[in-house]
Amino acid sequence: MASKELTSANFDVAVSGGKATLVDFWASWCGPCRAMGPVVEEISDDMADQLDVYKCNVDEQGELAQRFGIVSIPTLILFKDGQPAQQFVGAMPKATLASQLKAAL
């Protein structure tokens, strides 16, 4: 399952669904973001029954980046019931991210 792109128009509806939601705040020029792309896609596939995964381009969606205080990318935020529950900053191995997500769920 490929992660979907979020905009200001669909953000609140997407993160307030029944499942937990992971949002990857990224930019195309960011090397660590590009490195995390495949990791986030694998997490999306592996944990599809537990969470929805979305991407948010901070260059195109500056309002959302500002709203959530994104100052470093990649930043991944886990939302539960529409509210930020946990934040992960920087590139990390898939096993580390998966472990931290499972602990937070």
Side-chain angles (χ1 to χ4, degrees):
M1 174 184 156
S3 54
K4 301 161 282 290
E5 195 69 33
L6 286 180
T7 66
S8 295
N10 66 0
F11 189 90
D12 290 319
V13 171
V15 300
S16 62
K19 284 196 274 188
T21 305
L22 181 67
V23 179
D24 176 12
F25 290 88
W26 71 288
S28 60
W29 50 264
C30 168
C33 297
R34 288 195 307 271
M36 282 300 291
V39 170
V40 172
E41 292 297 328
E42 288 178 30
I43 292 289
S44 177
D45 291 339
D46 295 350
M47 300 181 73
D49 58 330
Q50 298 171 2
L51 68 132
D52 291 325
V53 178
Y54 293 91
K55 296 180 79 63
C56 181
N57 186 316
V58 297
D59 288 335
E60 296 171 2
Q61 303 301 321
E63 175 186 315
L64 287 173
Q66 185 175 27
R67 176 176 163 188
F68 293 102
I70 307 299
V71 293
S72 296
I73 52 174
T75 292
L76 293 93
I77 300 179
L78 178 66
F79 290 84
K80 290 182 178 177
D81 300 319
Q83 298 300 314
Q86 183 131 8
Q87 183 169 308
F88 313 94
V89 179
M92 66 186 75
K94 177 186 172 188
T96 301
L97 178 59
S99 172
Q100 292 183 7
L101 285 170
K102 288 176 184 172
L105 292 172

